[in-house]
Amino acid sequence: MDRDSSDEDDDRQTLIHQNDTKNLPHQIPASPHPSTSPRSSFHIEELESQIRRRFKLTFNKRYLWAIFLPLLIIPIYFSTDIRSLFSSNISSLNFNTVSDRIRESQLQALYLLNQQQNSLLSLWNHTFVNSNNNMTAVQYDDIKASLLTQITLNKHIQQILLSPHKTGNSPQNGTLLDPNFPGYSFDRCRKVDQKFAERKTIEWKPKPNKFLFAICLSGQMSNHLICLEKHMFFAAVLNRALVIPSSRFDYQYNRVLDIEHINDCIGKKAVIPFEEFMEIKKNHAHIDKFICYFSSPQPCYVDEEHLKKLKSLGISMGKLETAWKNEDTKKPSQKTIKDVEEKFGSDDDVIAIGDIFYANVERDWVLQPGGPIAHKCKTLIEPSKLILLTAERFIQTFLGSNFIALHFRRHGFLKFCNAKKPSCFYPIPQAADCITRMVERANTPVIYLSTDAAESETSLLQSMVVLNGKTIPLVKRPPRNSAEKWDALLYRHGLQEDPQVEAMLDKTICAMSSVFIGAPGSTFTEDILRLRKDWGTASLCDEYLCQGEEPNFTAGAE
């Protein structure tokens, strides 16, 4: 810095000295040598004269240029495209550089991609006209979806290749796929058309004071709900009102179901709670006929303990009867409405039938979307309004509209599945691979996990569900947090921490998902599939976990 400052000062002094000399031409200093003064004066005057002439000449030239140069530029500006004077066609210069070769290869790739797109579009259109009649709907949809994926990917590649070559607002290549062309938004996991208008139904017209007492004792809540649905069908066939069992004998159904919803859908009093039934019977009811659908392995699944509970409720009954002598729960035979009428038809006021969870009666009717009974709703047996709203709030909080629901049953499932051939219990890595393929197929960002698995299993599963380097989150219902309001309704109505309410909430969330992956052999899964079918939320991609595959490792028997 010091050196720079000194240089600037020296230059400044030199300039000042020169300017002083030019500005004071007549102040000539006295000569130290008087003998030479005339010659010096002559030369000085001559020098001054030359400087003046040169200064005037330079000034005149500069002045003329300042005047004429704008006059010269103006006509040139209006008569000539200035940009053309300074522009050149760079592409015409053949520089053999790496960048030129990259550019050429990009343009060639773009040309080939356009050709590929045209071929794919032709094939796409061809699939609509000449589909293979032997191909299943799912396989056919998969092929079409794969084609559309390739077309979409092709468009994306073209846009990437074009981006370095765009100039200003120039339009894209005209052969690019138009997002509005018919079928562009094809969804391989779209909802299944359940064709509700084509249902075959029966009217439920209960006769006065004719009741059917439901006996459902096998398995857990899901088994009981399926059993209740079949009891409603039996009650409709027999023209009786259905009595929902007491919570002292069965589950507390009014905490998970809306009984009045069923009656509203039917349009009449077809289902009554046990307490209302006992009021009609003056707190003492007699079962005139107690008929067991199955005779083996145990009639009605009723033992002495169950009989004691019924008696403690103020109910008396005669002996248990069996409808068929050799009807086994392990191999139920097909039955018809006529069989039901013949075996269970009666003029008695109160009859009980049990347990009919395994009953195979008019299977095609029972498994229809919406069930076999005529009604004005989507389904008769569905979660209560409080559970429905809580499920919707959970989905809005954590999942959004597009999510996969996975019922991942593990507790007690290893032994159950290994008793089957082939087993339905999959190692975590294999299960993760199956789930990841479904995520890619359904194009969903998140998975709702309904499971009884240990944390060690779910943690490993979470770490292995990865697509394109991105971990797909597995979301479970979190523990109670007062800062979260999605479950406030349950707490406000005293339904919190009820295992059956929580199970029904899980079912409801799963039934509302975009795609559902179920556990094979689980009635929990089957009830979810029933709800999805009835609600119209079933997807073409719904399936059991690793459907069509066998476990890549199975443990030996005990």
Side-chain angles (χ1 to χ4, degrees), residues 145-162:
S146 298
L147 285 172
L148 182 59
T149 300
Q150 292 301 319
I151 295 170
T152 306
L153 178 61
N154 179 281
K155 178 188 175 184
H156 181 61
I157 295 172
Q158 291 188 51
Q159 289 174 337
I160 292 175
L161 287 170
L162 277 173

Side-chain angles (χ1 to χ4, degrees), residues 106-345:
Q106 287 177 333
L107 294 175
Q108 288 178 350
L110 182 62
Y111 170 76
L112 293 174
L113 283 170
N114 270 289
Q115 284 189 326
Q116 181 199 41
Q117 185 188 56
N118 292 333
S119 299
L120 289 172
L121 282 171
S122 176
L123 182 58
W124 167 262
N125 294 328
H126 184 70
T127 58
F128 283 101
V129 180
N130 298 317
S131 62
N132 188 346
N133 293 329
N134 295 325
M135 188 182 301
T136 66
V138 175
Q139 290 172 330
Y140 182 54
D141 287 339
D142 283 347
I143 291 174
K144 291 197 295 184
S146 298
L147 285 172
L148 182 59
T149 300
Q150 292 301 319
I151 295 170
T152 306
L153 178 61
N154 179 281
K155 178 188 175 184
H156 181 61
I157 295 172
Q158 291 188 51
Q159 289 174 337
I160 292 175
L161 287 170
L162 277 173
S163 59
H165 308 290
K166 292 178 182 177
T167 57
N169 296 323
S170 60
Q172 297 182 10
N173 192 317
T175 61
L176 286 178
L177 182 62
D178 180 5
N180 297 319
F181 93 98
Y184 184 75
S185 59
F186 173 80
D187 181 10
R188 72 169 82 179
C189 292
R190 64 188 182 276
K191 303 305 177 187
V192 176
D193 182 5
Q194 300 292 354
K195 300 179 180 178
F196 288 99
E198 300 177 9
R199 290 171 59 220
K200 180 181 178 182
T201 59
I202 182 174
E203 294 287 337
W204 191 354
K205 300 178 180 180
K207 295 178 181 178
N209 297 316
K210 300 296 180 182
F211 302 98
L212 171 60
F213 198 94
I215 302 294
C216 297
L217 299 173
S218 63
Q220 303 298 319
M221 172 65 88
S222 296
N223 298 48
H224 289 222
L225 292 176
I226 295 172
C227 178
L228 273 181
E229 185 182 30
K230 292 182 178 180
H231 265 105
M232 288 194 296
F233 181 46
F234 277 46
V237 171
L238 300 173
N239 297 316
R240 292 176 176 272
L242 182 67
V243 179
I244 301 296
S246 167
S247 59
R248 292 163 57 186
F249 182 75
D250 201 340
Y251 288 108
Q252 194 169 353
Y253 291 104
N254 62 350
R255 292 176 69 87
V256 295
L257 301 178
D258 187 350
I259 304 300
E260 285 308 311
H261 162 79
I262 301 174
N263 292 326
D264 291 341
C265 294
I266 299 297
K268 53 182 67 71
K269 195 76 169 180
V271 177
I272 62 174
F274 176 79
E275 292 74 17
E276 186 175 338
F277 169 72
M278 291 303 290
E279 289 179 6
I280 295 173
K281 294 297 182 180
K282 310 293 186 184
N283 293 322
H284 182 79
H286 178 75
I287 297 178
D288 300 305
K289 278 191 176 182
F290 201 131
I291 309 171
C292 298
Y293 188 96
F294 291 98
S295 56
S296 179
Q298 183 179 4
C300 295
Y301 282 98
V302 174
D303 54 21
E304 288 298 324
E305 187 65 27
H306 289 115
L307 294 175
K308 288 181 181 179
K309 286 182 179 180
L310 286 174
K311 292 178 181 179
S312 68
L313 293 172
I315 296 177
S316 60
M317 68 200 76
K319 291 184 178 180
L320 289 117
E321 306 175 22
T322 56
W324 293 279
K325 292 182 179 180
N326 299 317
E327 192 68 17
D328 193 335
T329 57
K330 294 181 180 179
K331 295 181 180 180
S333 59
Q334 294 184 5
K335 305 296 181 183
T336 65
I337 287 180
K338 186 178 179 180
D339 294 326
V340 173
E341 291 173 335
E342 289 178 354
K343 292 295 182 178
F344 304 102

Side-chain angles (χ1 to χ4, degrees), residues 395-443:
I395 292 171
Q396 183 178 359
T397 303
F398 294 101
L399 302 171
S401 62
N402 186 24
F403 68 98
I404 290 175
L406 169 64
H407 176 215
F408 192 58
R409 181 177 174 183
R410 303 294 278 184
H411 180 70
F413 216 44
L414 177 60
K415 185 176 180 180
F416 169 81
C417 279
N418 281 0
K420 298 183 175 183
K421 301 297 179 184
S423 173
C424 55
F425 193 89
Y426 296 89
I428 295 292
Q430 185 178 0
D433 186 53
C434 295
I435 296 165
T436 303
R437 290 200 302 269
M438 180 57 76
V439 170
E440 183 176 22
R441 182 181 180 189
N443 191 27

